Amino acid sequence: MGDFNDITSSIKIEKISTIPAVVIYKDADFQGASQELTEGSYNLASLQIGNDQLSSLRVPSGIKVTLY
């Protein structure tokens, strides 16, 4: 995955199987403020960590995430 540190404004989550949600984090190494995201599209207004603040994320097997 490319460099997305502090440059992400919106996210699209596609659920490919019955795996749990994606978790995004404000800080590197899965630290700081976090938010669980289930299938759907999320823009700046729905990202609790703020604009261009995403520094790490956990993506369970079977889920596709596209960062914009």
Side-chain angles (χ1 to χ4, degrees):
M1 187 179 304
D3 183 18
F4 58 86
N5 189 22
D6 297 341
I7 59 170
T8 299
S9 299
S10 58
I11 299 174
K12 181 179 180 182
I13 307 293
E14 296 178 65
K15 190 171 184 181
I16 300 172
S17 68
T18 58
I19 306 298
V22 169
V23 181
I24 60 172
Y25 298 87
K26 185 172 182 175
D27 299 326
D29 300 319
F30 315 111
Q31 301 293 312
S34 66
Q35 182 179 358
E36 213 174 80
L37 303 175
T38 57
E39 184 177 14
S41 293
Y42 298 83
N43 60 24
L44 174 60
S46 56
L47 295 178
Q48 297 169 359
I49 64 172
N51 188 35
D52 296 341
Q53 298 296 308
L54 176 65
S55 294
S56 57
L57 70 160
R58 289 190 191 273
V59 182
S61 176
I63 293 183
K64 176 183 174 183
V65 175
T66 305
L67 305 174
Y68 301 96

